[in-house]
Amino acid sequence: MKMDLSQLPTPCYVVDQALIERNLEILKGVMDRTGAKILLAQKAFSMYVMYPLLGGSLAGATASGLYEARLGYEEMAVPLRRQGKACENHVYAPAFKEQEFEELLRYCDHMVFNSWRQVEKFGERAKAAGKSIGLRINPECSTQAEHAIYDPCAPGSRLGMTLENFENGGKKELLDGLHFHTLCEQNSDDLEKTLDAVEERFGKYLPEMKWINFGGGHHITRDGYDIPRLERCIRRMQEKYGLTVYLEPGEAVALNAGFLVTTVLETLHNGKDIAILDTSAACHMPDVLEMPYRPPLKGSGQPGEKAYTFLLGGPTCLAGDVIGEYSFERPLKEGDRLVFEDMAIYSMVKNNTFNGMCLPAIALREKDGGCRLIKQFGYRDFRDRLS
Ligand SMILES: *Cc1c(COP(=O)(O)O)cnc(C)c1O
């Protein structure tokens, strides 16, 4: 049944197909012009009803472990291959588990290891099964300071081999490729700096490789992203070393392509106007607290910009379950609907039922503007995780 946005139950994530397709067109443009292969990093967006669409434009998916690898295989690779389309399924993990490795071999065609010890444990088996294998390197080049928890180049990082560890390590002849992932919501100037560091440190090994994976964190679909510079970076690796270039953005695939619709439950006043919503920052948009950031809200302004400023908070008992301050032309009242923007990425995949909160429903807004409810959650989704 098709519904209007205003008829959806709340809270509800709404993913907009036209906006996803707009992102895919940008990403496909990069692939078509350069020959690079772009994969969906499922960590950011795993709404698998969209996988046939995503896989139709992208080169495949990448996973951070067994379950994502299986999801990418079953929901993207298998259906696309059945239609005769190529679709790659990659996996990287900081450490693989012995009990899971045989199953992973069934799902994945590229496997990226985090250390020489991992290559020693699993590399020969992966090669014998016909997999392309790589090692994650740490180019020790931090390009952003705002989000320290997203900096895999920080001192003490467990992610990837530094040059020193790489050179003291194992069987380089086993490797088909090198992988780095150091960016987070960044532009291609930071990619360029990172590539300089990769070449300076690891350049002498690149001619022996078949591919290089630039990881994720490329905000390719954001307004103002410098795509020509990205394409120069890709061509530099292709032309200088004959490498196939992979990129595995998560955010960029579903950036600004989803909403979280919520209803105002109550308003109150304590030194300022406050509204309690039926959605929680802690449960339904955890990055608002973790990253932290202030999510865009349709039709609102900065605090004080419009006539009525409200502090928006969630229905949990956590004092800090606060989304932020926003201003409106009219005072908020019970039953008003609000629409948070850019809620497709890192929201659905990270939500939780803390404090007995129900998970938001999931809807797809199709290209005719009608919304189709994909999934609703209930008491059992809360209960069944707890005993
Ligand atoms: C998180 C991650 C990605 C995707 O990052 P985005 O910031 O969502 O683009 C890609 N590769 C690896 C190894 C990651 O850890």
Side-chain angles (χ1 to χ4, degrees):
M1 195 183 73
K2 291 265 187 110
M3 296 180 221
D4 192 74
L5 207 62
S6 65
Q7 295 166 315
L8 291 169
T10 65
C12 185
Y13 300 114
V14 183
V15 170
D16 189 303
Q17 183 168 340
L19 298 174
I20 293 278
E21 287 186 15
R22 175 197 160 270
N23 288 344
L24 289 175
E25 221 163 278
I26 295 171
L27 297 172
K28 191 164 182 314
V30 173
M31 295 204 296
D32 289 346
R33 285 186 297 273
T34 61
K37 295 186 176 186
I38 301 185
L39 309 167
L40 164 71
Q42 295 175 86
K43 185 180 68 184
F45 184 68
S46 305
M47 183 180 165
Y48 62 87
V49 295
M50 310 297 287
Y51 281 13
L53 174 73
L54 301 181
S57 294
L58 303 176
T62 186
S64 320
L66 180 64
Y67 290 172
E68 284 183 357
R70 178 173 172 179
L71 192 71
Y73 177 75
E74 291 184 351
E75 305 296 337
M76 189 186 292
V78 170
L80 279 155
R81 288 171 193 169
R82 237 181 242 140
Q83 294 170 31
K85 294 201 183 106
C87 184
E88 298 186 19
N89 201 29
H90 294 214
V91 66
Y92 155 79
F96 290 106
K97 279 175 131 164
E98 178 56 51
Q99 313 88 282
E100 295 180 351
F101 197 73
E102 288 302 316
E103 192 181 344
L104 269 176
L105 285 176
R106 290 216 308 273
Y107 303 139
C108 299
D109 25 70
H110 269 62
M111 310 188 98
V112 177
F113 300 101
N114 190 58
S115 67
W116 282 123
R117 173 67 186 134
Q118 289 274 300
V119 173
E120 183 184 309
K121 274 204 272 194
F122 301 113
E124 306 265 10
R125 253 192 288 166
K127 289 296 275 191
K131 311 299 169 184
S132 191
I133 76 167
L135 183 64
R136 178 165 174 172
I137 54 171
N138 174 358
E140 297 176 82
C141 172
S142 294
T143 49
Q144 53 107 9
E146 305 101 89
H147 303 299
I149 71 164
Y150 301 117
D151 182 7
C153 294
S157 172
R158 73 188 184 293
L159 303 172
M161 295 278 93
T162 58
L163 181 63
E164 189 188 346
N165 282 331
F166 186 87
E167 295 200 316
N168 291 334
K171 291 186 183 164
K172 297 180 185 69
E173 65 281 5
L174 273 182
L175 300 180
D176 298 292
L178 295 179
H179 175 292
F180 65 86
H181 168 70
T182 66
L183 305 179
C184 175
E185 303 189 336
Q186 282 164 275
N187 209 322
S188 45
D189 52 345
D190 289 328
L191 171 63
E192 198 167 52
K193 265 185 232 151
T194 302
L195 268 189
D196 291 343
V198 167
E199 272 197 287
E200 189 191 313
R201 292 184 164 78
F202 296 90
K204 63 171 178 281
Y205 303 105
L206 291 176
E208 298 156 33
M209 300 295 156
K210 297 191 181 77
W211 52 262
I212 185 163
N213 188 320
F214 290 180
H218 317 279
H219 243 193
I220 303 170
T221 51
R222 177 178 76 193
D223 283 345
Y225 183 91
D226 184 351
I227 290 178
R229 189 185 297 269
L230 167 68
E231 295 183 355
R232 287 198 296 278
C233 288
I234 292 169
R235 288 201 185 90
R236 173 168 148 198
M237 291 294 116
Q238 292 171 326
E239 287 162 12
K240 206 158 161 189
Y241 303 104
L243 296 168
T244 296
V245 175
Y246 287 96
L247 289 102
E248 45 181 38
E251 288 213 8
V253 175
L255 190 67
N256 292 316
F259 309 96
L260 176 54
V261 186
T262 177
T263 302
V264 175
L265 298 177
E266 279 278 345
T267 59
L268 59 149
H269 191 90
N270 177 19
K272 51 176 81 175
D273 287 315
I274 300 168
I276 298 174
L277 311 180
D278 69 355
T279 194
S280 155
C283 302
H284 305 151
M285 39 182 125
D287 274 352
V288 164
L289 303 183
E290 193 176 302
M291 200 161 186
Y293 78 106
R294 178 183 181 277
L297 175 62
K298 244 193 175 93
S300 75
Q302 291 295 325
E305 189 184 328
K306 299 189 179 198
Y308 301 94
T309 295
F310 280 78
L311 182 69
L312 304 182
T316 69
C317 293
L318 173 71
D321 189 359
V322 165
I323 299 148
E325 278 195 281
Y326 297 80
S327 66
F328 304 88
E329 267 140 32
R330 281 186 301 278
L332 293 181
K333 57 179 192 329
E334 286 177 28
D336 283 352
R337 280 184 174 231
L338 301 177
V339 179
F340 288 99
E341 301 181 291
D342 198 18
M343 278 292 158
I345 44 174
Y346 290 105
S347 53
M348 269 179 255
V349 288
K350 290 180 95 170
N351 63 15
N352 63 77
T353 58
F354 166 64
N355 219 185
M357 287 299 115
C358 188
L359 298 171
I362 297 173
L364 176 64
R365 180 148 74 175
E366 294 178 332
K367 287 202 284 189
D368 61 7
C371 295
R372 191 155 58 85
L373 208 49
I374 302 286
K375 179 104 183 162
Q376 282 187 282
F377 299 89
Y379 170 65
R380 280 165 183 259
D381 297 292
F382 162 63
R383 187 196 67 178
D384 288 355
R385 293 175 57 242
L386 298 171
S387 278

